[in-house]
Amino acid sequence: MEKKTAIYICTGCGIGDALNIEQLSKVATDEGSAPICRNHPNLCSQEGVELIKNDIANEGANTLAIAACSHRVMYDAFNFENCIVDRVNIREQVVWCQKPGDEDTQMMAEDYLRMGMAKVENMELPEPFKPEGEISRDILVVGGGLTGMTAALDATKAGCSVVLVEKEPQLGGFQGNVQKTTSFPYQGVQDNDLEELIQEVTQNEKIKVYTGAKVDKTVGGPGIFEVSISQNGTMAEHRIGAIVLAAGWQPYDPNKLDQKLGFGASPNVITNVMFEESFKEGKITKPSDGKNVTNVAFLQCAGQRDSDHLPYCSSVCCITALKQALTIKAQNPEANVFMVYKEMRTPGQAEDLYCKAQEEGINFIRCQSPEVKANGDGLVVEAEDELLGEAVLMEDLDMVVLATGMVPVTAFGMDITQEEKEKEEEEKKEEEELEIPPDVIRRSELLNLEYRQGPELPALRYDFPDSHFICFPYESRRTGIYAAGCVRRPMGIATAQEDAAGAVMKAIQCIELTSQGAAVHPRAGDLTFPEFAMQRCTQCKRCTVECPFGAINEDEEANPLPQLTRCRRCGVCMGACPERIITFKNYSVQIIGAMIKAIEVPEEDEEKPRILVLVCENDAYAALDMAGINRMKYNAWVRVIPLRCLGSMNLVWIADSLAKGIDGILLLGCKHGDDYQCHFIKGSELADIRLSKVSETLERLVLESERVRFEAISIIDYDRLPGLLDEFAETIDEVGPNPFKDL
Ligand code: SF4
Ligand code: SF4
């Protein structure tokens, strides 16, 4: 498109008082030769927006740089169709964080305007990506338990057709083995009404149910998944828009528990899951002889919240134990029932069930480490009651029930990537690998993904598949595939039903955005996508390896094969590519390079060093805005450039900056490691690794490695940002002028 640039400078919100607007306008008109440059005292007002619209309609303006507030606010007001737009943040990140009327403040604003103009000059209008073939609006649900069936029904209520795949010959999952349940609002114990749900699912014309079946292959991406389902030796094919994985959980293996919990020492020591199985007949009896039970102890947290077993809380065992204890009381009101617990975790209205159990005469004993001993046919539990401060002996027990926890099915079967990583640690691996129960499908075979990164859904710590536990529940690291229910995290009935609805909503959102050619979370609605200038590709594989979402497959010659409906538009591939051949219409190595070049670097004798701050726009940029909103002042030598993700940082920007005379480079990204906060999973970690190579090179050349630094920042760290920027500026000042200038 033929561009006509227009620059708009807002003088409201204190901008006009802090800056020389006439001088700033000259940057646009004299230096930048912008044909249109206008000021307005309140650009986001109806009148201000009309001013811009008028230029678009009557002057042919189509390339706009709007110098005003941060792009994180007023995005609806400054949204102009078919125009290239950049927001130049001279409010939060200039006048609200710098001294008004100061020469350095003016220089900062002028640099930001230059950078914004350079950016729009190099940007192009995005065109949505349309994959070949029709976008499917059908949802595949894997797992026919409570969560899977609820997800399937919820999807049909929203108008989608569903393919439901269950590995067992019947629907129901674990909940199918349960006679009595308790759920919101936890007023007591009820009959399990799962059968009604199963009927609703099987009678729903929009749900195609496959039982005794498994997913044999998943090819493609959101909107265009081609899924093969095998059932009784036959194969069915479906085109699918998005996938909900509700494959459930397995109980922790009680044989691994500490011997002092007594499992295996007597048949009368059972687990909470075994309790449900034996209660199927409608009555709970002593396992060893089938007689009535009159003395029972429940031991909570058996192998849970325990670093040697499951380090986490399975969240439902306390409520389940209360339900089971009340069931015994209902069967025999005279029974002595003891509940030995570390903490009773009964959040919300589940507290009512706890109170009911107390009213029914169940004895609660708080003890961290009870011990079970077999005594002839009976059992004894020794516990140190923390509240009474004395030892308690529970004798002549008919049965002890251990609250063992939930293990997601994705924990079974080593995934391929892991296998590769751990080849060298073969012995250790064998020790650690969980034995796969006979009826469990290996993680890598749950969906059988045909992805370059391997067939499994990647998992987090403790093997739950989730891509960002803080911000994006349900998301996995494979776009268009959402996890729900106990495969995502331990949960009870009510939460699993909510989870099912949440995951289906995400699946529908994904299909809708894919059909518009737009990105899903976290860049929802972004119409750009990575474009590869393949003629210059050297098949180095960096993009295919580093893409956090497995969005780039490879052919036999190692040519990247982008699967663009899987792409989250993070730009990590762009940062990885040494040939710099991956670009987005509004974000590229060239665009950021042009912005860096636009920064004016004063002569050495002016003693005004320049510091480039490459900032993750998801957290760190927001934190910088927060510092401005709180009128916190920081060093005026910094020049901030927001990046989609720090993982999109290409090392050439560091080289270009140093060559231009920029004195220091600071990367502000998200925390990485086990509790990472990076919206694109490993982007900030990759940036840190890339930067460490620059530092190493500088060290090797006996040059100042202090010039480049990575800092992890979260949005709540805004109050430490000014100190951090000031301290880095001091370091750069001490290191002295940049010796790389013009090299
Ligand atoms: S690295 Fe990011 S931008 Fe590149 S293909 Fe993967 S998801 Fe898309
Ligand atoms: S990183 Fe660049 S050069 Fe390497 S394979 Fe990918 S596109 Fe080709």
Side-chain angles (χ1 to χ4, degrees), residues 90-138:
I90 56 168
R91 189 179 75 168
E92 286 84 344
Q93 294 190 17
V94 180
V95 303
W96 284 2
C97 60
Q98 301 298 326
K99 281 190 223 138
D102 193 81
E103 179 192 38
D104 284 337
T105 308
Q106 183 73 23
M107 288 172 100
M108 196 183 217
E110 288 177 13
D111 265 353
Y112 281 137
L113 189 57
R114 288 183 190 104
M115 289 153 79
M117 289 167 66
K119 187 172 175 186
V120 292
E121 200 175 303
N122 286 277
M123 275 164 65
E124 288 175 56
L125 264 188
E127 287 157 25
F129 172 73
K130 296 281 178 201
E132 272 177 33
E134 206 179 320
I135 299 280
S136 166
R137 291 184 177 267
D138 295 358

Side-chain angles (χ1 to χ4, degrees), residues 5 12 27 38 48 62 224 268 298 331 353 359 371 482 501 538 565 570 572 610 615 642 663 670 687 724:
T5 306
V27 172
R38 300 191 202 284
N62 56 15
I224 49 168
N268 297 326
F298 288 84
Q331 187 178 297
L353 199 69
E359 284 160 17
E371 196 161 344
Y482 303 93
T538 57
T565 66
C570 59
V572 166
R610 285 292 171 256
V615 175
D663 301 278
C670 303
L724 195 151

Side-chain angles (χ1 to χ4, degrees), residues 453 479 523 528-530 532 542-544 546-552 562-564 566-576 582 584 644-645 647-648 680 686:
Q453 266 85 343
T479 309
R523 296 190 57 80
T528 65
F529 54 87
F532 293 65
R542 292 206 193 145
C543 57
T544 56
E546 292 195 8
C547 171
F549 302 102
I552 313 174
Q563 310 289 304
L564 290 174
R566 293 182 200 164
C567 172
R568 305 253 183 121
R569 283 68 162 176
C570 59
V572 166
C573 52
M574 182 182 108
I582 304 174
F584 296 78
R644 290 183 172 202
C645 169
S648 64
F680 298 106
L686 288 167

Side-chain angles (χ1 to χ4, degrees), residues 139-158 160-164 197 201 204 207 243-246 482-485 496-505 507-508:
I139 293 176
L140 170 71
V141 177
V142 179
L146 174 80
T147 310
M149 288 192 289
T150 310
L153 285 170
D154 286 349
T156 61
K157 284 173 199 159
C160 297
S161 293
V162 174
V163 176
L164 177 62
L197 188 68
V201 168
N204 190 316
I207 305 177
I243 299 172
V244 173
L245 181 73
Y482 303 93
Q497 286 170 318
E498 276 176 18
D499 226 49
V504 161
M505 289 297 169
I508 292 171

Side-chain angles (χ1 to χ4, degrees), residues 532 537-543 558 560 576-579 581-582:
F532 293 65
C537 173
T538 57
Q539 291 86 26
C540 72
K541 298 187 177 193
R542 292 206 193 145
C543 57
C577 180
E579 301 302 315
I581 60 172
I582 304 174

Side-chain angles (χ1 to χ4, degrees), residues 410 413-419 442-451 453-459 465 477-478 481:
T410 37
M414 197 58 98
D415 64 76
I416 302 300
T417 327
Q418 195 86 339
E419 216 160 33
R442 292 178 72 92
R443 167 151 124 203
S444 55
E445 291 168 4
L446 274 170
L447 294 172
N448 275 308
L449 300 171
E450 272 206 355
Y451 280 46
Q453 266 85 343
E456 74 289 332
L457 203 57
R477 298 185 197 186
R478 297 293 173 257
I481 304 177

Side-chain angles (χ1 to χ4, degrees), residues 173-188:
F174 177 78
Q175 207 54 24
N177 293 328
V178 173
Q179 293 300 307
K180 298 278 182 192
T181 63
T182 183
S183 186
F184 188 80
Y186 300 103
Q187 296 306 302

